[in-house]
Amino acid sequence: MPNMPMSFRVSTGGMDLPLSVSPAEGVVPGGGYQTIAISMLEDATTLPNNIVLLVHDTDSSLEPQKVTINVIKAPQPSKLTMATADMPAPTPTGPAVPPPATPTPVPQTAATEEEAAERANLPPLAAPTVSPTQLAPTVPAPLAASASMSGISNVPLLMLRGCTPIPDLMDSYELRLGAQDFASGQVVWQLSLENLSPTRPLEYLIYTVKDGGQDEGWMSLSRHTGVLEPLGRHVLTLTVSTKRMDTLSTYMIIENLSVPSNMKTVFVTMDVVAKHNAHFAVIVNGKANVNPVLQFGEVHYNQSYTNRSFIISNTSTLPLDFLLTTNLPPYDSTEVGFSLSQSSRNLCNALTVNPMSQVKVFVYFHPTPPLGSTLDGQAPVGSTEYPHAREIKIFLNCRLVKDFQQVITLTASCRYPQMLLSASDAVFEGRMMWTGDGPQGLEETQAKPAAATANKKKLPLLDLPAQVKRVTLSNLYVTPLRYSIRNPSLYFVIDVESTPPSEDPSAAGDDAGGHSVVQEDTIGNSISSVVNKFASVTLAVRLNQASISEQMANLLRVRYIEEHVTVYNMDAPCEHYVITLRISIGCLRDFSSIQSARGSHAHRFLEGSIVRYLKDFKTFWATHSAALTSPSSTSPISVSPISSPPPLSIGEERTTISPGAKEGLDASATGRVVAPRPMTSPILSALLNLTTSLSSSASPPTSSPTPPTAPSSTGSIKSEADGLLERVAQASRSEQYTKLSLELLHITNELILFGLRKPVSQLATQLGALLFGTLFKHRVIQQVVSLLSLRASSSSSSSDRGMVPSVLDSLMSCLGDFLSYFPEKRDDLDMLRTLDYDVRTALGLSQDIANKKTTK
C-alpha cells in the first residue's frame, strides 16, 4: 500500500565484506524514500569485482531485492598516466558508485556531406536502459596480476563503452534496444572502443556469429576492423532497421587481436513491434471474442481441474512469443497454471506459436477456501453452503504487439466438497515371463517360424498376481452422502467393503454411530450407496481375472493399460471424481495410455451406453404420453415417440399450436401455423417441424380423429402452452427421469474424457452427434422448443424468454458443456455448435445467460 510504512534490512547474503552500510535497517514512511550510503573500509583491491547486497522487506515473506555494485579497480597513477575523467577511481571513504554516464559525442570531422545529410534525416536515438556502470573497464584477473608485476603499459587492453556489463560474467555485455515501432525508420546507437595502454597499439576485429549475411539485413556497423593507438579511442555507429517486424537478436564478437584473452561478446536484441493487434486471436468455445470468458462452472475446493482450455491462433507469417500471467496476489493460495498437455502437468508461462498455426493451452485450476476458513477445505459445521463466485483474470501478452494485453476471464462457482477420496489413482504391476511351452492358446497369436526347428520357441507368459487397491471415501457433511460409482472399465471390478454396524442399538438412521450404511444397487456397471454424516466407506478395486485371461494376448502386446471409474454425488452430480486405474507390465508407473480406437472396448461401451439411454428416454416419454394430453382437447397434445416426423422442406417453419388463432398468427389452409418470427436455419426449422395430427401410443388410431378445440385468442394459446409445459415439467420431476438426467450427465462426462484424447477426438464427436442429435429430434423436445420459441417471440417480458423447463435445460446444459471443452474450430463440431446456437436463438437466450435461469 502506498500510504503504509515499510521496514527494511540490508544484508550481504552471509558474506564478510569490508563495507559500511548506513543505515543497515530502518523504516521508510509511506510514499517516502530512504538513502543508503555504502563505504569501503579497506582498499578496493581486496574487494571482489561485483558485490551483491540484499534489501529485505521485513514485513512480508517476499524475496529480497538484489542490488549489484560493480567495483572499479583503477591502475596506480605512478604506472599509468590517464585523464581522471576517463577512468574514475573511488576513494576509500566514498561510495563505490561511478558517476552517471554521459552521451558520447559523435565525431563530425570524418563525416562527408552525404553522411551529414543522412544523419539530419535520422530519427532521434532510442533510449534503452543502460546501467550507470557500463563505462567501467573490465580487466581480466590473470592480466591484471601480470600487469601489477610487469606494468600495465605493456598490456594493450581493450575497453568497451556503451553496453551494459552482465553481472558475474567477465567481458560479457548486452545491448537491449527495447521495442521499436514497425517501419519507424532506423535506430542508431553508439559504441566506443578504447586502448588502455599508453605505449602499445591495439588491433581489433568485430563480427557477428550468424553466417550468410543474416544479420546484415537488419543491422550494420560503421567499421569492423581498426587499430587503436596508445590511449586512443574509436567511436562505432550501430544502425538497426525496423522494416521487418520480428524479435531481432544476435551476438557480436569483438576480438582483441593483440591480446586474444581480452575478447568481448555483446548480445544485441531489439523487438520490432506492431502498434495494433492484427496478428493473433484467442478462441474460446469455437469462436474468437474480444472479451473471452472461460467458464469452469461449479468446482470444489482443494480439487484440481485440468480439462478446460483455450486456443491461441497466430494469423501472421511470423512466429509469435507469448507470456501468460494472472492477477492472483502472492498471498492467494489458489493456483492457476498453464500447460500444453491435458494429461501431464508440465506447466509453462511462456510459449511460441508458429506462423499461421494455433496452440491449445490447458488451464490448471486448483481453488482453495477463502482466507480465514478451514485449511483442509472441509465445509464448516452448519455452513449454509452458498457457492463462492471467483473471477480471475488471465493476461496474454505478445512481444511483437505494442501496448496490447488480451484478457481472458476465468469464472467459477466454488463450493466445499462433500466427498473426500484418499487416492485418485491405482496402479497394478505385473511382469512378463518366458516359458518354453507358452500358455495354452497363445501359440496362435505368435508368428510362425520360417522353417520348423527341433527346439521349442519361447513364448511370453503374463505374471499379474491378484491385487487389491483400497480407496477410502469419506462424507464431510452433517447430511448423508448418496453416491454412485460408474465403472466402464474392462480389466477392473470395484466393490464396497461394508463397515461393521454400531453396537449401540439406539444408534440408527443417519446417526448410526458414524458408520456407513451401504445399500448396493449393482445394476450393470454401477453401484449406488449411502454414507452417513462424517462417516467413510472403503472401495476395493480388483483385477477382473476373467477379462485378463481373455485379453492376455492384447495385454502382452500393449503392456500398458489405462481405464477409470467415476464417483458421483447423487445429490450434487457436479461433484464427481475420476479414479484412474492402470496396469503396468513394463517399467513405467506414471503414464497415459490411449487404447480408445474405433472398435475398442472404450468406444463400444460408450456407444452402447448412448444407445441404451436413447431407448430409455423414448420409453419414458411413451409411457407418460397420456399425462401430456390437454384436458380441453379430445385428442392428445403429445405425439407418439415411435412415429417419425414427416419430411420438411428447407425454410419451412411449423408449430403445433391449434389452428384458428388469428391474432398474431397466420393460419394456413392445411391447419399449420407459421410463427411470426422468421427463421431460415434448416436445423431450427427441423426443430419446429411438428404436425397438428397428433396421435398417442396410449390410444388406438382412428380413421377420423376429432380435431382439437381451437383457442380463440392469444391468451388461450399462452394458457395452452403453459399447461403443456407444466405437464412436461411434472413428468420430468419423477424419480425415473431423475435417474435419466444423472445418466445423461455421466454419458456427457464420458464423451468429454473420450474426446480429450486427441487421436480419438473425432470418435467422441460422432458419438456426441448420435446422442444430442437424436434427443433434440424427439417429438416432446421439439414441441417444448416450439412452444417456448413462440412464447419468446410474442412476449415482451424478458422473464418469459429466460425461463427454460428443466427437461430442456438439462439437454442444453450437457450439450453446451460438451462443446465448451473443445474450443478449437473443427468441421466435425459444426453440426453440434449450429444445433446449440439455433436452440438458444429460438428461445431468445443469450450465450452468456443460457444456463442461469431455470424452472424446476
Side-chain angles (χ1 to χ4, degrees), residues 756-771:
L756 288 175
R757 297 175 179 270
K758 190 173 181 180
V760 295
S761 58
Q762 291 188 353
L763 296 180
T765 306
Q766 296 170 1
L767 295 177
L770 169 65
L771 175 64

PDB file of all heavy atoms in Angstrom, residues 756-771:
ATOM      1  N   LEU A 756     -11.114 -35.739 -25.152  1.00  0.00           N
ATOM      2  CA  LEU A 756      -9.879 -35.050 -24.819  1.00  0.00           C
ATOM      3  C   LEU A 756      -8.643 -35.856 -25.205  1.00  0.00           C
ATOM      4  O   LEU A 756      -7.530 -35.319 -25.205  1.00  0.00           O
ATOM      5  CB  LEU A 756      -9.834 -34.728 -23.324  1.00  0.00           C
ATOM      6  CG  LEU A 756     -10.771 -33.607 -22.861  1.00  0.00           C
ATOM      7  CD1 LEU A 756     -10.738 -33.466 -21.348  1.00  0.00           C
ATOM      8  CD2 LEU A 756     -10.424 -32.291 -23.531  1.00  0.00           C
ATOM      9  N   ARG A 757      -8.830 -37.121 -25.526  1.00  0.00           N
ATOM     10  CA  ARG A 757      -7.720 -37.917 -26.046  1.00  0.00           C
ATOM     11  C   ARG A 757      -7.610 -37.614 -27.532  1.00  0.00           C
ATOM     12  O   ARG A 757      -8.426 -38.059 -28.335  1.00  0.00           O
ATOM     13  CB  ARG A 757      -7.957 -39.405 -25.808  1.00  0.00           C
ATOM     14  CG  ARG A 757      -8.030 -39.751 -24.328  1.00  0.00           C
ATOM     15  CD  ARG A 757      -8.385 -41.215 -24.141  1.00  0.00           C
ATOM     16  NE  ARG A 757      -8.437 -41.576 -22.743  1.00  0.00           N
ATOM     17  CZ  ARG A 757      -7.396 -42.018 -22.045  1.00  0.00           C
ATOM     18  NH1 ARG A 757      -6.220 -42.132 -22.633  1.00  0.00           N
ATOM     19  NH2 ARG A 757      -7.508 -42.328 -20.777  1.00  0.00           N
ATOM     20  N   LYS A 758      -6.616 -36.844 -27.903  1.00  0.00           N
ATOM     21  CA  LYS A 758      -6.564 -36.223 -29.220  1.00  0.00           C
ATOM     22  C   LYS A 758      -6.691 -37.191 -30.391  1.00  0.00           C
ATOM     23  O   LYS A 758      -7.408 -36.907 -31.344  1.00  0.00           O
ATOM     24  CB  LYS A 758      -5.266 -35.416 -29.348  1.00  0.00           C
ATOM     25  CG  LYS A 758      -5.208 -34.544 -30.578  1.00  0.00           C
ATOM     26  CD  LYS A 758      -3.979 -33.663 -30.552  1.00  0.00           C
ATOM     27  CE  LYS A 758      -3.933 -32.756 -31.773  1.00  0.00           C
ATOM     28  NZ  LYS A 758      -2.736 -31.884 -31.760  1.00  0.00           N
ATOM     29  N   PRO A 759      -6.023 -38.357 -30.390  1.00  0.00           N
ATOM     30  CA  PRO A 759      -6.144 -39.231 -31.556  1.00  0.00           C
ATOM     31  C   PRO A 759      -7.554 -39.750 -31.812  1.00  0.00           C
ATOM     32  O   PRO A 759      -7.844 -40.215 -32.904  1.00  0.00           O
ATOM     33  CB  PRO A 759      -5.177 -40.382 -31.214  1.00  0.00           C
ATOM     34  CG  PRO A 759      -4.217 -39.803 -30.245  1.00  0.00           C
ATOM     35  CD  PRO A 759      -5.026 -38.849 -29.434  1.00  0.00           C
ATOM     36  N   VAL A 760      -8.438 -39.703 -30.813  1.00  0.00           N
ATOM     37  CA  VAL A 760      -9.777 -40.271 -30.996  1.00  0.00           C
ATOM     38  C   VAL A 760     -10.848 -39.206 -30.780  1.00  0.00           C
ATOM     39  O   VAL A 760     -11.993 -39.541 -30.523  1.00  0.00           O
ATOM     40  CB  VAL A 760     -10.011 -41.445 -30.024  1.00  0.00           C
ATOM     41  CG1 VAL A 760      -9.071 -42.585 -30.330  1.00  0.00           C
ATOM     42  CG2 VAL A 760      -9.831 -40.993 -28.574  1.00  0.00           C
ATOM     43  N   SER A 761     -10.494 -37.929 -30.886  1.00  0.00           N
ATOM     44  CA  SER A 761     -11.461 -36.876 -30.598  1.00  0.00           C
ATOM     45  C   SER A 761     -12.623 -36.885 -31.575  1.00  0.00           C
ATOM     46  O   SER A 761     -13.754 -36.552 -31.223  1.00  0.00           O
ATOM     47  CB  SER A 761     -10.757 -35.522 -30.613  1.00  0.00           C
ATOM     48  OG  SER A 761     -10.136 -35.297 -31.881  1.00  0.00           O
ATOM     49  N   GLN A 762     -12.391 -37.257 -32.840  1.00  0.00           N
ATOM     50  CA  GLN A 762     -13.480 -37.282 -33.810  1.00  0.00           C
ATOM     51  C   GLN A 762     -14.476 -38.393 -33.508  1.00  0.00           C
ATOM     52  O   GLN A 762     -15.665 -38.262 -33.823  1.00  0.00           O
ATOM     53  CB  GLN A 762     -12.925 -37.435 -35.226  1.00  0.00           C
ATOM     54  CG  GLN A 762     -12.178 -36.202 -35.720  1.00  0.00           C
ATOM     55  CD  GLN A 762     -11.807 -36.294 -37.176  1.00  0.00           C
ATOM     56  OE1 GLN A 762     -11.986 -37.329 -37.808  1.00  0.00           O
ATOM     57  NE2 GLN A 762     -11.290 -35.215 -37.729  1.00  0.00           N
ATOM     58  N   LEU A 763     -14.022 -39.471 -32.893  1.00  0.00           N
ATOM     59  CA  LEU A 763     -14.958 -40.524 -32.493  1.00  0.00           C
ATOM     60  C   LEU A 763     -15.920 -39.996 -31.434  1.00  0.00           C
ATOM     61  O   LEU A 763     -17.114 -40.306 -31.462  1.00  0.00           O
ATOM     62  CB  LEU A 763     -14.193 -41.736 -31.952  1.00  0.00           C
ATOM     63  CG  LEU A 763     -13.286 -42.474 -32.939  1.00  0.00           C
ATOM     64  CD1 LEU A 763     -12.616 -43.645 -32.246  1.00  0.00           C
ATOM     65  CD2 LEU A 763     -14.081 -42.961 -34.142  1.00  0.00           C
ATOM     66  N   ALA A 764     -15.408 -39.178 -30.510  1.00  0.00           N
ATOM     67  CA  ALA A 764     -16.279 -38.591 -29.490  1.00  0.00           C
ATOM     68  C   ALA A 764     -17.287 -37.645 -30.124  1.00  0.00           C
ATOM     69  O   ALA A 764     -18.450 -37.574 -29.695  1.00  0.00           O
ATOM     70  CB  ALA A 764     -15.442 -37.864 -28.448  1.00  0.00           C
ATOM     71  N   THR A 765     -16.885 -36.906 -31.151  1.00  0.00           N
ATOM     72  CA  THR A 765     -17.811 -36.003 -31.828  1.00  0.00           C
ATOM     73  C   THR A 765     -18.919 -36.779 -32.525  1.00  0.00           C
ATOM     74  O   THR A 765     -20.092 -36.379 -32.498  1.00  0.00           O
ATOM     75  CB  THR A 765     -17.042 -35.138 -32.836  1.00  0.00           C
ATOM     76  OG1 THR A 765     -15.964 -34.475 -32.174  1.00  0.00           O
ATOM     77  CG2 THR A 765     -17.959 -34.101 -33.455  1.00  0.00           C
ATOM     78  N   GLN A 766     -18.574 -37.890 -33.135  1.00  0.00           N
ATOM     79  CA  GLN A 766     -19.592 -38.711 -33.791  1.00  0.00           C
ATOM     80  C   GLN A 766     -20.577 -39.273 -32.777  1.00  0.00           C
ATOM     81  O   GLN A 766     -21.792 -39.284 -33.023  1.00  0.00           O
ATOM     82  CB  GLN A 766     -18.907 -39.841 -34.573  1.00  0.00           C
ATOM     83  CG  GLN A 766     -18.036 -39.354 -35.716  1.00  0.00           C
ATOM     84  CD  GLN A 766     -17.183 -40.457 -36.308  1.00  0.00           C
ATOM     85  OE1 GLN A 766     -17.250 -41.612 -35.873  1.00  0.00           O
ATOM     86  NE2 GLN A 766     -16.358 -40.114 -37.284  1.00  0.00           N
ATOM     87  N   LEU A 767     -20.075 -39.723 -31.650  1.00  0.00           N
ATOM     88  CA  LEU A 767     -20.977 -40.226 -30.612  1.00  0.00           C
ATOM     89  C   LEU A 767     -21.812 -39.093 -30.020  1.00  0.00           C
ATOM     90  O   LEU A 767     -22.978 -39.294 -29.671  1.00  0.00           O
ATOM     91  CB  LEU A 767     -20.169 -40.919 -29.514  1.00  0.00           C
ATOM     92  CG  LEU A 767     -19.423 -42.191 -29.932  1.00  0.00           C
ATOM     93  CD1 LEU A 767     -18.595 -42.731 -28.766  1.00  0.00           C
ATOM     94  CD2 LEU A 767     -20.395 -43.253 -30.417  1.00  0.00           C
ATOM     95  N   GLY A 768     -21.221 -37.888 -29.902  1.00  0.00           N
ATOM     96  CA  GLY A 768     -21.983 -36.747 -29.430  1.00  0.00           C
ATOM     97  C   GLY A 768     -23.103 -36.372 -30.386  1.00  0.00           C
ATOM     98  O   GLY A 768     -24.217 -36.012 -29.956  1.00  0.00           O
ATOM     99  N   ALA A 769     -22.848 -36.465 -31.684  1.00  0.00           N
ATOM    100  CA  ALA A 769     -23.908 -36.198 -32.657  1.00  0.00           C
ATOM    101  C   ALA A 769     -25.015 -37.242 -32.559  1.00  0.00           C
ATOM    102  O   ALA A 769     -26.205 -36.921 -32.707  1.00  0.00           O
ATOM    103  CB  ALA A 769     -23.308 -36.174 -34.067  1.00  0.00           C
ATOM    104  N   LEU A 770     -24.641 -38.490 -32.316  1.00  0.00           N
ATOM    105  CA  LEU A 770     -25.643 -39.538 -32.132  1.00  0.00           C
ATOM    106  C   LEU A 770     -26.525 -39.235 -30.923  1.00  0.00           C
ATOM    107  O   LEU A 770     -27.761 -39.360 -30.991  1.00  0.00           O
ATOM    108  CB  LEU A 770     -24.945 -40.892 -31.960  1.00  0.00           C
ATOM    109  CG  LEU A 770     -25.823 -42.063 -31.498  1.00  0.00           C
ATOM    110  CD1 LEU A 770     -26.872 -42.401 -32.555  1.00  0.00           C
ATOM    111  CD2 LEU A 770     -24.963 -43.287 -31.172  1.00  0.00           C
ATOM    112  N   LEU A 771     -25.929 -38.828 -29.820  1.00  0.00           N
ATOM    113  CA  LEU A 771     -26.685 -38.581 -28.595  1.00  0.00           C
ATOM    114  C   LEU A 771     -27.563 -37.335 -28.711  1.00  0.00           C
ATOM    115  O   LEU A 771     -28.793 -37.416 -28.597  1.00  0.00           O
ATOM    116  CB  LEU A 771     -25.719 -38.442 -27.419  1.00  0.00           C
ATOM    117  CG  LEU A 771     -26.338 -38.051 -26.076  1.00  0.00           C
ATOM    118  CD1 LEU A 771     -27.294 -39.120 -25.575  1.00  0.00           C
ATOM    119  CD2 LEU A 771     -25.238 -37.779 -25.041  1.00  0.00           C
TER     120      LEU A 771
END
